[in-house]
Amino acid sequence: MPDPRFTRPWHGVPREAIDWHPTVDEDACIGCGTCVTGCNRLVYRFDFARKKAVVVDPLNCMVACVTCMNTCPTHAISFPPLETVIALESRAEVHHAIEDDLLARREQLAWSEALPHPDRIVSLRVEKIETPNADTRIVTLVPQAEEDCLCQFTAGQYLEIFAPDQRWMSRAYSIGNAPRADGRVELQLRRAPAGRFTTWAFESLAIGQVLRARGPLGQFTVRSPLERPLLFIAGGSGFAPIGAMIEQQLALSRQRNIAFYWGIGHPRDLYELERIAGWRHSDAAVSCTLAIADLAPDFAPPEGCALFHGQVDEAVRKSERELGSRDAYVAGPPAMMGPVMKALAARGIARERIYSDAYHA
């Protein structure tokens, strides 16, 4: 019988709705009992007559735990793909359940020895809000005072934004422009279904409002020497840090050899086509590929941009362009990262030459 202590909902998702449990290959199982005795949730029982491990209560299994698989000496145990869990984590209700649990148990879970945060709190005023499509907002923020200037940030970093008068936690967004002398920054906000921050940003954020922010944060910055060709891959609004990094590199060298891939679901999500066209006109060394999952037959890309009907990892894998000598910079949703990493490995790019940054919707 499944144990009620172990079968409670996982971050709001009923345990029986989650396909996560071990499977034993009896031909490979040698009956050592390591999995049976090592699992304190009693997922297994031991068949003493046949000397085999048997999965009896699969719902007792902790979601994403693979300890028994890792300790099986004959690799007789398998699990569903980890993408099963990653897909759940991308759901707004799961993210919110985790956030609510953290806040509710703050006294229990907060690290009392927390180090002082090295980044400063600044005040930024909303100067402009653009809505290139129904699901995207580009918000321009200006420093409230001279000491709030973010003039020294590096393209690819992000800001932690505190929504005023909200009980949920802050959110981090990549800065979508190369550094400017006046400290202005752009945030590119993509509407997340049922997302708390983006719902507030689309319904309540207004010009003139002053926001508290912490930053700049993050190490997702260009680290390659100027002579090395670069590969930039963006998924969805992962375009924000990628676009900023490309502009930064073009400012350093107009002859920088850059290959750029942007994967999106539908042509209406391409909210920066004029900006991409500007790169192409200013520097012939920038090549562009737009990977569109739901490609409309009448869509016309910017001059010089190639079109690929499908996912961005497929576009990278099937590209005829030379990619193996490049350093790769990748930004997008977590579910995109695994397939893209595999595609880059297939193209001969070593893991130490891949720099990645994932955001959560």
Side-chain angles (χ1 to χ4, degrees):
M1 262 315 265
D3 190 324
R5 293 177 301 164
F6 305 138
T7 57
R8 291 176 295 180
W10 184 80
H11 303 307
V13 181
R15 179 61 184 87
E16 59 270 18
I18 303 173
D19 180 22
W20 189 266
H21 56 80
T23 298
V24 177
D25 179 351
E26 286 204 355
D27 292 335
C29 176
I30 59 173
C32 68
T34 302
C35 58
V36 181
T37 58
C39 178
N40 61 8
R41 288 182 162 228
L42 291 177
V43 172
Y44 297 94
R45 302 295 188 278
F46 193 70
D47 184 337
F48 283 89
R50 297 185 306 122
K51 292 187 172 56
K52 298 289 181 181
V54 182
V55 176
V56 173
D57 287 313
L59 291 181
N60 284 358
C61 184
M62 180 184 293
V63 175
C65 179
V66 292
T67 300
C68 57
M69 182 177 73
N70 290 336
T71 57
C72 178
T74 59
H75 308 291
I77 299 172
S78 61
F79 279 85
L82 192 57
E83 285 76 14
T84 301
V85 179
I86 294 175
L88 290 173
E89 291 174 343
S90 67
R91 289 163 53 171
E93 64 268 29
V94 172
H95 176 73
H96 295 161
I98 295 171
E99 180 178 56
D100 291 343
D101 195 19
L102 282 171
L103 292 173
R105 300 166 59 198
R106 183 167 188 157
E107 290 188 8
Q108 176 189 8
L109 299 177
W111 182 37
S112 60
E113 303 287 326
L115 298 173
H117 203 293
D119 301 291
R120 59 201 177 102
I121 299 290
V122 297
S123 295
L124 302 172
R125 178 173 51 84
V126 180
E127 181 185 61
K128 183 168 62 173
I129 298 176
E130 301 173 84
T131 307
N133 59 51
D135 294 321
T136 306
R137 275 197 150 184
I138 301 176
V139 180
T140 301
L141 304 173
V142 299
Q144 255 308 75
E146 186 175 344
E147 60 268 21
D148 294 322
C149 184
L150 295 170
C151 310
Q152 301 304 314
F153 81 83
T154 300
Q157 293 183 304
Y158 53 90
L159 280 177
E160 182 182 6
I161 303 292
F162 300 86
D165 304 320
Q166 302 296 330
R167 298 185 63 181
W168 26 267
M169 296 168 66
S170 56
R171 299 291 191 268
Y173 282 90
S174 294
I175 300 169
N177 61 279
R180 295 173 182 164
D182 60 6
R184 278 176 168 77
V185 295
E186 290 179 357
L187 300 184
Q188 301 180 10
L189 308 182
R190 177 75 177 168
R191 189 194 297 270
R196 289 171 171 171
F197 186 91
T198 57
T199 297
W200 168 81
F202 276 76
E203 296 180 359
S204 303
L205 185 64
I207 292 175
Q209 197 166 8
V210 176
L211 305 179
R212 292 172 59 245
R214 192 200 315 266
L217 305 167
Q219 302 300 316
F220 184 56
T221 57
V222 177
R223 309 170 201 179
S224 306
L226 276 174
E227 64 274 9
R228 185 169 298 166
L230 301 179
L231 168 62
F232 290 100
I233 302 172
S237 54
F239 178 88
I242 293 297
M245 294 161 84
I246 290 175
E247 288 193 344
Q248 176 200 48
Q249 294 306 302
L250 293 180
L252 293 172
S253 171
R254 284 294 175 185
Q255 296 305 311
R256 191 79 195 248
N257 189 316
I258 293 173
F260 165 61
Y261 291 75
W262 189 9
I264 50 91
H266 191 276
R268 63 173 172 266
D269 299 326
L270 292 167
Y271 54 88
E272 291 280 22
L273 288 181
E274 290 186 8
R275 188 173 174 188
I276 295 171
W279 300 341
R280 292 284 305 151
H281 290 142
S282 65
D283 192 333
V286 178
S287 62
C288 164
T289 299
L290 304 176
I292 305 176
D294 186 13
L295 181 59
D298 57 346
F299 173 70
E303 182 182 354
C305 271
L307 275 182
F308 181 85
H309 189 186
Q311 303 296 327
V312 69
D313 60 290
E314 298 171 351
V316 171
R317 191 184 294 270
K318 296 179 181 180
S319 174
E320 296 181 359
R321 189 173 293 118
E322 187 282 319
L323 299 178
S325 65
R326 300 173 185 266
D327 284 358
Y329 294 83
V330 188
M336 178 195 96
M337 289 297 177
V340 167
M341 293 300 177
K342 291 177 182 177
L344 293 175
R347 295 304 304 268
I349 301 179
R351 185 63 186 87
E352 60 269 19
R353 291 196 290 114
I354 302 173
Y355 305 93
S356 61
D357 190 43
Y359 65 84
H360 293 275

